[in-house]
Amino acid sequence: MAKGTAAEPGSFTAKDYQDPPPAPLIDPEELTQWSFYRALIAEFIATLLFLYVTVLTVIGHSKEADACNGVGVLGIAWAFGGMIFILVYCTAGISGGHINPAVTFGLFLARKVSLVRAVMYMAAQCLGAICGVGLVKAFQSSYYTRYGGGANKLADGYSDGVGLGAEIIGTFVLVYTVFSATDPKRNARDSHVPVLAPLPIGFAVFMVHLATIPITGTGINPARSLGAAIMYNKDKAWNDHWIFWVGPFTGAAIAAFYHQFILRAGAVKAFGSFMSISSQV
């Protein structure tokens, strides 16, 4: 049997994929490259467009006196998931299409991006979110404040713990999907099942919104929550704001650990390497 040929679907005689090397923790050379700044611009514009379309959808639905005339929770979920699909598709080849500090944080923990890139991406995403919601406020000034500015807040009847848990699980689903859809091992061994990475990522956002809009309005993206809170700037937007940072970052960290050390057996490989070195001493 030829090297790398499958004996049966999913069974290979040799490693048939190549993992990219871990990103350096700090890479000052990135700051001298145009591609780095192009990626920052892409993240800024993508997050701006994401917040502009989605928050406009939320405001537009809220101002309808008859709930049947609005897009409803289903339409809002489609707006968020559809925009992520579009924007990840457009920017994946330039910046990786993060559009979310929690996604960037998870990829940083997995050594997919450097610390410098992660910090700058998060700053660009937050600034883009603020500008995107600012456009909504400018265009819908008569309705913006009246209908809550699209800001995330914990719904009545739910405790902080429930809201935090919803944000952790929702972000875990999203970041887990990001890792799975971009895994070079999966892409190589499941090449008979073509996967357009932005599609499952967009669907993950859509499904999470269906589940958590009634609880928190669905954050799972600290930039989205921050941009809306800053522009709305009312107490109810800030009272539970910590949930929309702690929850997504925790969920992203759990997803990174699960994918890298459980599914990709990083812990087992590290332990095996340690035992091999120990046996030679």
Side-chain angles (χ1 to χ4, degrees), residues 211-224:
T212 58
I213 282 177
I215 303 173
T216 62
T218 309
I220 69 171
N221 184 334
R224 175 261 187 272

Side-chain angles (χ1 to χ4, degrees), residues 257-268:
F257 176 84
Y258 177 64
H259 184 268
Q260 293 296 105
F261 292 98
I262 305 300
L263 299 186
R264 293 298 303 274
V268 174

Side-chain angles (χ1 to χ4, degrees), residues 129-162:
I130 294 168
C131 292
V133 182
L135 289 176
V136 175
K137 187 173 183 178
F139 294 162
Q140 290 277 16
S141 57
S142 59
Y143 297 109
Y144 182 83
T145 302
R146 187 187 311 172
Y147 295 108
N152 288 122
K153 62 184 182 67
L154 189 63
D156 294 337
Y158 292 98
S159 66
D160 288 351
V162 171

Side-chain angles (χ1 to χ4, degrees), residues 37-215:
Y37 295 99
R38 182 180 63 180
L40 291 179
I41 294 170
E43 287 291 311
F44 169 81
I45 295 297
T47 314
L48 182 154
L49 294 175
F50 176 60
L51 268 294
Y52 172 73
V53 171
T54 55
V55 173
L56 263 182
T57 302
V58 172
I59 299 298
H61 169 68
S62 299
K63 73 182 183 67
E64 293 291 343
D66 185 352
C68 294
N69 292 332
V71 296
V73 171
L74 183 63
I76 293 171
W78 271 121
F80 279 89
M83 280 303 292
I84 286 296
F85 168 69
I86 292 168
L87 295 170
V88 172
Y89 178 82
C90 291
T91 60
I94 301 171
S95 65
H98 297 190
I99 321 172
N100 184 336
V103 170
T104 300
F105 181 66
L107 293 173
F108 165 69
L109 293 180
R111 299 292 300 279
K112 305 294 184 182
V113 296
S114 69
L115 178 61
V116 171
R117 185 174 292 264
V119 171
M120 294 298 286
Y121 269 25
M122 292 180 192
Q125 292 156 359
C126 290
L127 184 59
I130 294 168
C131 292
V133 182
L135 289 176
V136 175
K137 187 173 183 178
F139 294 162
Q140 290 277 16
S141 57
S142 59
Y143 297 109
Y144 182 83
T145 302
R146 187 187 311 172
Y147 295 108
N152 288 122
K153 62 184 182 67
L154 189 63
D156 294 337
Y158 292 98
S159 66
D160 288 351
V162 171
L164 181 63
E167 288 295 308
I168 291 173
I169 296 172
T171 311
F172 174 87
V173 171
L174 170 59
V175 178
Y176 175 36
T177 303
V178 169
F179 276 110
S180 298
T182 59
D183 187 351
K185 180 178 180 179
R186 178 192 179 99
N187 291 339
R189 298 195 175 187
D190 294 346
S191 58
H192 60 288
V193 183
V195 176
L196 180 63
L199 185 58
I201 295 171
F203 262 106
V205 172
F206 167 68
M207 297 303 296
V208 170
H209 274 75
L210 287 181
T212 58
I213 282 177
I215 303 173

Side-chain angles (χ1 to χ4, degrees), residues 231-256:
M231 297 309 300
Y232 184 59
N233 199 28
K234 303 290 184 182
D235 286 345
K236 65 180 182 179
W238 293 113
N239 289 339
D240 304 303
H241 188 69
W242 65 272
I243 291 174
F244 302 103
W245 284 86
V246 176
F249 273 55
T250 302
I254 296 171

